[in-house]
Amino acid sequence: MTQDFRRAPLAELAHHDAFIQRHTGPDAAQCTAMLNSLGLSSIDSLIEKTVPAKIRLGEPLALETAKSEVEALAELKAIAGKNKLHKSFIGMGYYDTHVPHVILRNVLENPGWYTAYTPYQPEIAQGRLEGLLNFQQMIIDLTGMELANASMLDEGTAAAEAMAMCKRQNKKNRSDTFFVAADTHPQTIAVVKTRAEHFGFEVVVDEPEALANTECFGALLQYPGTTGEVRDLTDIISAAHEQNKLVTVASDLLALMLLKSPGEMGADVVIGTNQRFGVPIGFGGPHAAFFAFREAFKRNAPGRIIGVSIDSRGKTALRMAMQTREQHIRREKANSNICTSQVLLAVMSVFYAIYHGPGGLKRIAERVARLTDTLAAGLTERGFSLAHERYFDTLCVKVGEAQKPLYHTALANQLNLRLVGEDCLGISLDETTTEAEVNQLLNVFCAGDHGLQLSQLDAQLAEGALPAGLPSEQRRTDAVLTHPVFNTYQSETEMLRYLKQLESRDIALNHSMIPLGSCTMKLNATAEMIPVTWPEFGKLHPFAPIEQAQGYAVLFEQLEQMLEACTGYDAVSLQPNAGSQGEYAGLVAIKKYFESKGEFERDICLIPASAHGTNPASAQMVGMKVVVVNCDSKGNVDLADLNAKISEYTSRIACIMVTYPSTHGVFEEGITELCAAVHNVGGQVYIDGANMNALVGVAAPGKFGGDVSHLNLHKTFCIPHGGGGPGMGPIGVAEHLKPFLPAHPVQPVPETDVANGTISAAPWGSASILPISWMYIKMMGREGMALATHMAILNANYVAKKLGDHYPILYKGSEGFVAHECLLDLRPLKEASGVTEEDIAKRLMDFGFHAPTMSFPVPGTLMIEPTESESQEELDRFIEAMLTIRKEIAQIESGEVDYQTSALHNAPHTQDDVLDGDWQRPYTREQASRPAAWLKQHKVWPSVNRIDNVYGDRNLICSCPTMDEYRS
Ligand SMILES: *Cc1c(COP(=O)(O)O)cnc(C)c1O
């Protein structure tokens, strides 16, 4: 650096700005220092001692060399430019929307919101928990139901989860048939059919009237229907109830601002998407779905429910309720396999509602309804007839043989309509539709100048002289969104401050490292995030003609190739929108493969005891039986037990699901043997790729024995966790499974067969966040991708080394090293002192840290994963915190300090504590809240004290408390 810049070669000067150095925390000096502390002289020797030689890659990844931020953004901009932004009137659950700018910039583009994790540590997550509670309140209000969960992955999977819940819930009706109304979105029908096939249910798709004559345990109706019809479902639902059938209604949030609610009509479950409430359409996602239900179903509900409880000072505090805190503990008995969901998008949508308020939302809905009425009046005036008399925002125009010509005329005018059957065209209007566009649409249908006065039509509508789509008897009369939170923040200043207030209660990556094992909380670089909000990616309708999405097509193809290079697989499907969905898609592919070979008896899925809970949950969803394989005392899969189970089940074995490196934090030497043993009896190997951050550029699952893996792009490939979603869980497969990748009924996915089924509502899942992973791989290149893995392993080993003398490291590899994460065994300390893993997790908050993963995969442990993005300074701060805590434990062990009154047991400490005039603790306020020097510079105060989970579960409240309760 001291060198005169005129003497350095130009290329070297450019190198100073290399992204690789920005992404990885440790610089060369730190790297050397950390290696020294491990007694090693080079990174290569570390990798040799951690990764078994037989699986190590002999050559560099087949990726390009690294690009700079500027170069990569320019290349992606050119690709994005190939997308064409026509105006879409296609509807089908996807609508253009104005994302309020205050939310766009301060939530969607703000790392304080998008880099947080799922709120497992509620005391430092009260901001997004309040956002989610508001979301539940909004859904309860609009659907007219008793309870709602905190979001689902998409509308299609929400419908499928509703089907599964109704089956669990309905004990009075033993039928295995599920009824779906024909006027449901086709992608929803496809997802429901796929799930039903693997649960062993039959699906009947028919007109809603046919429900009464169909023997079934439950039904899905859509309101308004996919082609726009609004009909009162009250009688159909009550007739179904008399026959012990449970009814799910798929609905639309904006329509529900005006329409009688499904709850009022008697629905048991109400689902839908929140997309049009201020979430970019993004070629299909990410968006959140909602899921509302009767109180009586609460123990059977999928997903997470946020509930109100109290903290140790009796103050109102929020946290995940009941079994939904750790739903996967129930493994194959879990209600659903959902882990990562769509928190960021759920909170965005409720902020949209908060910003507009009930009055603003109603105006938006009324304007859309009025424009639709105007269009309908114009069309009927010009001799067209409509398929439905009652509608909200969607018209189904009967055009007969003119269908294709009109469709193409619209297309030529950059207007996308929906082809409905052979002789109708669908037109859906939205918040962004203008009068000029209604004019344009009328001109298309009238072959030129339609010659109508829109203002005159509108005036006649206002007087009631023309028929309107929504008759008064179908309109809702109850007040919605009356809670103060929806009526307080309608100025931008107030909104901005509310968002900031919530954000500042939470710990996200813009504050400190989040060492959550198995979650890979690495840098989500700004340059990676920027393309997400480019309109070229954000504004495309997922069912727009594919010629308009050529930019996306290039992005998908390139990303698939890059992921193939990283994993060693032959093909990739980008459809699954979370790891759990990837698992499901992979297992479906395995099942279909065996079916194609006539091997129907294979129904066993072997799963090691250390597996993540989503694995057994996914296996039971495809109808496989889970057989648990033990782990040995070193944490490895017990190969003797594996072989015994293989001999016992032989040709019944469908597959093994194994995480590599294991969630115990070691590269198991026996992996190739394990794969061979399963292959030997004709089984398939599913390698859970959540831990790919320890593998990329070092070893490839597709090369050491895997047949299929999912990748969590929101772990290894830099998509931020969003406070609990979005994510993406694409799968890589070997050649023989390629014919069985998921398809889509509306927008064909190249080289897929619709018989394979559909996993997500959108053909490429959450397409608009894929640019993040594309940017990451482009900017790291072949050299950076491997380096990231090396540094992740180095950082984990450094932490393990520094903490290992004070807390036992539960599992290590044969040479004494860990993989990219390590497990601290707290059980001996707990025995000696009474201090629990929870005490340590809460005490870390006083230091400004989010706790590591608690009690997974082994109870009584903490799993630390630092990732490559943390510098040695940050690791040292974390280590210092852990060592200070260890001394506090020692004082309890020795009897010097009483556990009940210790800082550990009373953590976290809040401002209420230190300002309490009656401070009686045996430690000082300084020790309580500033246990390390750096806290004098900057501190995040936990906004509540330790939360009482049991109290909240006994007094379940999942809607917003009154303002007075917050103040108490
Ligand atoms: C995170 C994780 C999953 C689940 O992935 P989601 O994207 O959260 O659904 C599965 N397996 C392991 C080992 C994981 O760490």
Side-chain angles (χ1 to χ4, degrees):
M1 290 298 277
T2 52
Q3 213 183 348
D4 183 342
F5 75 91
R6 275 160 299 220
R7 290 171 195 228
L10 199 54
E12 220 167 84
L13 286 174
H15 197 63
H16 276 297
D17 219 24
F19 177 77
I20 299 173
Q21 274 115 317
R22 305 283 186 196
H23 175 84
T24 41
D27 59 19
Q30 294 181 349
C31 186
T32 309
M34 289 197 285
L35 282 167
N36 283 344
S37 78
L38 296 170
L40 298 171
S41 56
S42 72
I43 274 282
D44 289 345
S45 60
L46 174 65
I47 299 306
E48 275 161 31
K49 286 179 194 298
T50 49
V51 187
K54 58 190 164 194
I55 66 165
R56 248 180 278 141
L57 290 174
E59 55 197 47
L61 292 175
L63 295 172
E64 292 169 9
T65 186
K67 296 240 155 63
S68 73
E69 296 186 25
V70 173
E71 289 164 341
L73 279 170
E75 189 177 336
L76 191 56
K77 193 78 188 175
I79 293 172
K82 295 181 200 291
N83 287 334
K84 294 205 187 83
L85 296 182
H86 292 194
K87 186 79 194 180
S88 282
F89 298 92
I90 300 168
M92 301 174 82
Y94 300 95
Y95 294 86
D96 202 0
T97 173
H98 292 302
V99 185
H101 295 112
V102 65
I103 297 170
L104 178 75
R105 176 158 293 183
N106 297 290
V107 181
L108 183 57
E109 297 180 336
N110 176 358
W113 282 99
Y114 66 68
T115 67
Y117 194 70
T118 307
Y120 282 128
Q121 296 292 340
E123 293 85 356
I124 46 167
Q126 291 293 301
R128 57 193 187 283
L129 284 164
E130 184 171 324
L132 290 172
L133 192 74
N134 293 340
F135 173 83
Q136 290 176 182
Q137 180 73 60
M138 167 177 86
I139 299 305
I140 288 169
D141 277 14
L142 292 185
T143 58
M145 300 298 288
E146 288 162 337
L147 279 180
N149 76 10
S151 85
M152 305 285 276
L153 288 163
D154 60 34
E155 180 164 345
T157 54
E161 296 280 356
M163 167 178 72
M165 182 175 83
C166 288
K167 181 66 187 167
R168 284 191 296 278
Q169 189 69 34
N170 195 347
K171 302 279 185 249
K172 290 192 199 144
N173 186 324
R174 293 282 151 199
S175 166
D176 276 331
T177 300
F178 189 66
F179 179 94
V180 180
D183 65 345
T184 302
H185 296 322
Q187 72 275 17
T188 305
I189 297 178
V191 173
V192 167
K193 276 188 170 168
T194 302
R195 288 280 178 95
E197 176 185 341
H198 300 289
F199 277 130
F201 304 156
E202 200 192 321
V203 173
V204 171
V205 180
D206 207 337
E207 298 307 321
E209 290 71 24
L211 172 55
N213 303 320
T214 308
E215 184 49 43
C216 60
F217 68 84
L220 174 65
L221 308 176
Q222 189 154 323
Y223 170 77
T226 186
T227 60
E229 186 179 19
V230 172
R231 58 186 295 174
D232 198 309
L233 301 171
T234 310
D235 294 343
I236 295 180
I237 295 174
S238 65
H241 285 163
E242 271 166 34
Q243 299 172 319
N244 294 325
K245 300 166 182 170
L246 296 177
V247 180
T248 298
V249 173
S251 196
D252 177 284
L253 289 183
L254 195 62
L256 290 181
M257 285 306 300
L258 303 181
L259 289 181
K260 191 195 271 188
S261 73
E264 197 181 332
M265 297 190 295
D268 299 291
V269 187
V270 185
I271 60 109
T273 167
N274 75 342
Q275 183 269 316
R276 71 189 309 178
F277 269 28
V279 181
I281 197 165
F283 205 49
H287 317 130
F290 59 85
F291 192 97
F293 47 94
R294 290 182 187 281
E295 166 108 31
F297 298 5
K298 65 189 179 198
R299 304 229 167 251
N300 274 322
R304 302 190 172 106
I305 304 172
I306 308 308
V308 183
S309 188
I310 52 170
D311 72 0
S312 60
R313 300 181 78 90
K315 183 168 152 181
T316 299
L318 313 177
R319 88 286 176 253
M320 295 187 219
M322 305 182 297
Q323 80 280 4
T324 68
R325 270 193 298 283
E326 279 300 344
Q327 53 183 329
H328 301 301
I329 282 181
R330 297 173 69 187
R331 302 173 81 86
E332 65 269 26
K333 293 188 188 67
N335 287 335
S336 122
N337 69 341
I338 297 182
C339 179
T340 292
S341 64
Q342 306 278 21
V343 170
L344 187 70
L345 304 315
V347 297
M348 273 184 77
S349 73
V350 76
F351 290 149
Y352 172 94
I354 289 170
Y355 193 43
H356 286 297
L361 290 176
K362 205 164 162 213
R363 265 195 306 280
I364 293 171
E366 279 176 343
R367 182 176 167 277
V368 170
R370 186 75 154 266
L371 277 176
T372 312
D373 278 335
T374 312
L375 179 62
L379 287 169
T380 41
E381 175 82 27
R382 286 290 172 261
F384 288 95
S385 55
L386 303 176
H388 314 303
E389 226 170 273
R390 295 174 173 196
Y391 50 81
F392 163 60
D393 65 357
T394 297
L395 301 177
C396 186
V397 193
K398 295 187 190 168
V399 287
E401 298 198 331
Q403 191 205 41
K404 292 277 157 58
L406 284 174
Y407 175 83
H408 286 288
T409 310
L411 207 54
N413 285 284
Q414 310 208 339
L415 306 171
N416 294 329
L417 304 183
R418 175 181 176 190
L419 292 166
V420 179
E422 300 292 310
D423 52 7
C424 290
L425 285 172
I427 314 174
S428 294
L429 306 193
D430 60 52
E431 179 194 6
T432 70
T433 310
T434 60
E435 279 170 65
E437 285 163 353
V438 171
N439 255 317
Q440 254 188 307
L441 286 165
L442 283 168
N443 280 339
V444 166
F445 280 80
C446 299
D449 186 1
H450 58 72
L452 293 161
Q453 285 293 330
L454 289 197
S455 52
Q456 207 174 338
L457 289 176
D458 187 53
Q460 284 173 280
L461 281 161
E463 283 162 18
L466 289 176
L470 289 183
S472 55
E473 67 272 19
Q474 201 54 34
R475 296 197 50 157
R476 75 186 304 157
T477 50
D478 53 335
V480 292
L481 308 177
T482 53
H483 190 274
V485 76
F486 297 106
N487 295 280
T488 308
Y489 305 108
Q490 270 91 49
S491 84
E492 183 164 334
T493 303
E494 291 292 343
M495 188 69 196
L496 183 69
R497 289 177 189 159
Y498 181 56
L499 295 176
K500 181 68 190 175
Q501 208 185 87
L502 295 186
E503 179 198 337
S504 57
R505 291 182 198 156
D506 293 9
I507 287 186
L509 281 177
N510 60 348
H511 176 69
S512 57
M513 101 186 225
I514 300 184
L516 281 164
S518 209
C519 303
T520 314
M521 301 294 289
K522 57 163 69 175
L523 171 74
N524 315 114
T526 314
E528 291 155 7
M529 293 301 293
I530 280 185
V532 173
T533 47
W534 285 346
E536 297 95 312
F537 287 129
K539 286 225 168 249
L540 243 67
H541 193 288
F543 307 149
I546 198 68
E547 303 76 47
Q548 293 168 26
Q550 289 310 297
Y552 264 118
V554 172
L555 175 83
F556 298 153
E557 198 186 309
Q558 293 188 355
L559 184 61
E560 284 170 14
Q561 268 171 19
M562 295 191 270
L563 295 176
E564 283 157 23
C566 292
T567 55
Y569 285 114
D570 300 307
V572 163
S573 164
L574 296 173
Q575 191 170 110
N577 52 11
S580 60
Q581 307 303 294
E583 291 173 18
Y584 184 74
L587 292 174
V588 166
I590 288 174
K591 228 176 125 177
K592 294 267 170 195
Y593 166 71
F594 284 131
E595 282 170 12
S596 78
K597 302 206 303 171
E599 298 180 25
F600 294 97
E601 75 285 10
R602 294 191 181 271
D603 64 345
I604 301 279
C605 181
L606 299 168
I607 301 187
S610 59
H612 192 270
T614 51
N615 292 186
S618 299
Q620 69 81 27
M621 285 171 61
V622 295
M624 290 185 188
K625 288 187 187 60
V626 174
V627 172
V628 178
V629 181
N630 297 333
C631 288
D632 65 18
S633 61
K634 295 203 175 96
N636 298 317
V637 175
D638 180 343
L639 291 180
D641 189 47
L642 174 71
N643 286 325
K645 300 228 153 110
I646 289 177
S647 321
E648 184 180 345
Y649 295 105
T650 55
S651 63
R652 274 187 65 191
I653 291 175
C655 62
I656 187 165
M657 287 184 98
V658 56
T659 306
Y660 199 80
S662 76
T663 48
H664 287 157
V666 282
F667 286 98
E668 297 181 35
E669 308 270 345
I671 185 69
T672 44
E673 229 178 304
L674 176 152
C675 296
V678 174
H679 282 149
N680 214 13
V681 289
Q684 294 283 291
V685 176
Y686 186 109
I687 296 183
D688 180 326
N691 285 346
M692 272 304 288
N693 212 43
L695 290 180
V696 180
V698 170
K703 297 212 166 128
F704 62 70
D707 299 293
V708 44
S709 294
H710 76 263
L711 302 173
N712 302 67
L713 297 189
H714 48 299
K715 294 177 181 173
T716 311
F717 297 92
C718 293
I719 291 178
H721 285 75
M728 268 296 278
I731 54 172
V733 295
E735 196 64 43
H736 64 282
L737 292 179
K738 194 175 163 185
F740 307 102
L741 292 176
H744 198 274
V746 183
Q747 181 72 281
V749 176
E751 296 181 68
T752 60
D753 179 349
V754 279
N756 296 345
T758 302
I759 303 296
S760 306
W764 292 277
S766 297
S768 70
I769 51 175
L770 291 175
I772 301 169
S773 300
W774 186 99
M775 283 291 294
Y776 173 60
I777 301 174
K778 280 277 171 175
M779 294 191 295
M780 294 296 273
R782 95 172 75 81
E783 57 277 44
M785 292 302 286
L787 182 85
T789 307
H790 296 166
M791 300 308 270
I793 294 173
L794 174 61
N795 276 357
N797 276 286
Y798 177 69
V799 172
K801 174 82 185 170
K802 292 282 176 180
L803 293 181
D805 291 340
H806 310 274
Y807 297 92
I809 305 292
L810 190 54
Y811 301 120
K812 286 182 187 167
S814 57
E815 303 263 355
F817 292 94
V818 299
H820 67 312
E821 59 194 9
C822 63
L823 277 175
L824 303 190
D825 189 359
L826 306 175
R827 291 168 297 185
L829 287 177
K830 188 172 174 176
E831 195 130 302
S833 66
V835 175
T836 64
E837 62 274 21
E838 191 173 33
D839 292 329
I840 298 175
K842 305 304 174 193
R843 184 67 172 138
L844 275 168
M845 295 174 187
D846 288 332
F847 290 84
F849 283 113
H850 189 293
T853 299
M854 232 171 69
S855 293
F856 167 78
V858 183
T861 62
L862 289 180
M863 176 163 45
I864 303 172
E865 180 183 1
T867 84
E868 72 278 12
S869 297
E870 300 302 338
S871 66
Q872 191 187 3
E873 287 111 330
E874 183 70 358
L875 299 180
D876 284 341
R877 284 196 324 120
F878 176 73
I879 290 161
E880 186 190 326
M882 288 298 291
L883 296 184
T884 309
I885 289 174
R886 183 64 189 86
K887 283 186 200 133
E888 291 179 352
I889 298 171
Q891 289 173 327
I892 296 171
E893 278 175 295
S894 69
E896 196 182 321
V897 168
D898 168 48
Y899 171 62
Q900 289 301 329
T901 55
S902 66
L904 269 160
H905 192 53
N906 289 289
H909 296 86
T910 58
Q911 292 184 344
D912 289 343
D913 287 331
V914 300
L915 294 173
D916 190 336
D918 191 27
W919 177 266
Q920 304 242 344
R921 308 263 171 84
Y923 51 95
T924 67
R925 296 166 204 239
E926 186 80 11
Q927 283 165 337
S929 62
R930 277 191 193 165
W934 69 78
L935 295 159
K936 290 181 183 156
Q937 299 288 329
H938 182 49
K939 169 148 181 98
V940 171
W941 286 95
S943 59
V944 295
N945 284 88
R946 198 179 298 194
I947 296 176
D948 187 337
N949 284 320
V950 178
Y951 176 90
D953 287 350
R954 283 212 195 104
N955 308 278
L956 190 68
I957 299 173
C958 305
S959 50
C960 295
T962 63
M963 282 308 175
D964 287 342
E965 283 174 71
Y966 275 118
R967 274 189 281 267
S968 68

